[in-house]
């Protein structure tokens, strides 16, 4: 664990006892790791942590002479080789040095710059330290220096201070320019909607998102790109709905005035309907969960939740190439009825539209049907997975198609 950081945070919150316990736990953990004879440096650092713990425990002498003795002992500890700023454990050692420097500056009027300007400390911790111990004017100046330094050094940690304001977008732009990590920038800006008058920021965020999508397509990670598009659209809809709810609370519409239809929102991705559908071999009607009307519903209401025939023409569905039983499909009438009865039985209160019933599926994955796009042969999903776990060719006799798909390993998890 980060024992040194825990000790520093405890000291900054005036809990010396917790700091001593953290350093002692760190020393014990290092001694357990350094059982090999070649780990002499680790043992030395464990000893240093114990000395620092003893030094912190003795902080707070009653007389000036006692405090002078303590300051001298603490300053001599900071001269040890394993606490040098050039130590290979710079990030961990920096917290030990910072807590000691902080205690040395207590009641002396010395500046806290040794802690605030130590770049080996996390910027989050330094900002929290500044908020606790600096006055308002000094705190503002420190924040401004951190923002400008984050822009120059492409330190994405500066977003802790700026958020996704204009300065935050500039930090992201500097980060992308230096490290070419467009993925991080795209994932960050995908969760926000910038104001309409932020033209340059909106343009930059759109370029990051499109570059990331193009990169996923180039790597042939189409499933990841599709999942990213779907999740991003859902997040933007939720954000826009929350913003619209707040604005409607502030300004209620006049019921006497006829409201004109709103144009499509450019910030929210449109809901794209399904573009591929499974169709019956006989009547070519889609087998997706769409609402049926008239006589079809009367017939479907008498059938089982799982059908082995087409809901429209009632012809049998294809057979599984493994078990030779007819493939099953969901009864759309029963699924819609179950959804309408959901609120009474504690289910979802949102009834999906007749064109999007994907959330109503009560059929287990084992009963889904899948097929090869080349030879058009297929069967129940769990049968196909079991077949291609040991085989490469199509299970249909006489078909030499090597239709093993790459998703077998993922679906078997």
């Amino acid at each position: 664990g980060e024992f040194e950081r825990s000790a520093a945070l405890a000291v900054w919150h005036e809990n010396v006892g917790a700091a001593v316990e953290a350093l002692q736990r760190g020393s014990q953990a290092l001694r357990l790791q350094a059982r090999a004879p070649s780990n002499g440096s680790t043992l030395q650092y464990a000893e240093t942590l114990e000395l620092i713990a003893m030094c912190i425990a003795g902080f707070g002498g009653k007389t000036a002479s006692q405090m002078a003795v303590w300051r001298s002992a603490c300053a001599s500890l900071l001269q040890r080789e394993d606490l040098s700023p050039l130590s290979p454990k710079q990030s961990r050692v920096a917290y030990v040095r910072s807590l000691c420097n902080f205690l040395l500056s207590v009641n002396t009027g010395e500046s806290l710059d040794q802690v605030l300007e130590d770049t080996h400390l996390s910027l989050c911790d330094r900002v929290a330290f500044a908020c606790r111990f600096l006055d308002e004017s000094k705190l503002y100046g420190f924040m401004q220096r951190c923002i400008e330094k984050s822009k120059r050094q492409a330190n994405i940690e500066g977003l802790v201070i700026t958020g996704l304001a204009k300065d935050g977008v500039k930090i992201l732009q500097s980060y992308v320019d230096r490290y070419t990590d467009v993925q991080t920038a795209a994932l960050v800006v995908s969760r926000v909607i910038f104001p309409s008058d932020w033209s340059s920021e909106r343009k930059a965020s759109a370029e990051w998102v499109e570059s990331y999508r193009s990169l996923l397509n180039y790597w042939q990670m189409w499933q990841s790109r599709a999942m990213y598009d779907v999740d991003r659209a859902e997040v933007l809809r939720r954000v826009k709905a929350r913003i619209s709810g707040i604005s409607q609370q502030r300004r209620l519409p006049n019921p006497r005035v006829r409201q004109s239809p709103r144009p499509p929102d450019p910030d929210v991705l449109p809901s794209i309907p399904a573009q591929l559908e499974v169709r019956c071999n006989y009547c070519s009607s889609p087998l997706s969960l769409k609402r049926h009307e008239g006589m079809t519903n009367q017939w479907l209401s008498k059938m089982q939740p799982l059908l082995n025939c087409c809901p429209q023409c009632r012809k049998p569905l294809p057979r599984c190439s493994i078990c030779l039983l007819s493939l099953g499909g969901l009864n759309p009438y029963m699924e819609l009825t179950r959804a309408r009865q959901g609120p009474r039985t504690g289910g979802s209160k949102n009834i999906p539209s007749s064109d999007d019933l994907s959330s109503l599926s009560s059929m287990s994955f084992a009963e889904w049907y899948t097929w090869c796009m080349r030879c058009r042969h297929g069967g129940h999903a769990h049968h196909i997975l079991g077949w291609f776990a040991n085989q490469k060719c199509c299970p249909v006799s006489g078909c030499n198609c090597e239709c093993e798909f790459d998703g077998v390993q993922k679906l078997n998890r």
Side-chain angles (χ1 to χ4, degrees), residues 289 291 305 330-354 356-362:
L289 295 180
R291 188 175 181 181
L330 290 172
N331 186 335
Y333 178 83
M334 299 297 292
E335 290 295 313
L336 188 59
T337 303
R338 181 175 63 86
R340 293 185 180 278
Q341 295 176 351
R344 303 175 188 174
T345 59
S348 174
K349 296 183 180 181
N350 298 324
I351 300 177
S353 65
S354 59
D356 183 15
L357 302 181
S358 58
S359 61
L360 303 182
S361 177
S362 60

Side-chain angles (χ1 to χ4, degrees), residues 5-20 23 56 59 98-100 102-103 106 129 132-133:
R5 180 172 179 266
S6 300
L9 295 181
V11 169
W12 296 341
H13 286 83
E14 302 177 4
N15 192 344
V16 177
V20 172
L23 292 176
I56 295 175
F59 173 74
S98 297
L99 70 89
C100 291
F102 171 73
L103 293 177
V106 172
F129 181 85
R132 184 171 176 82
F133 296 106

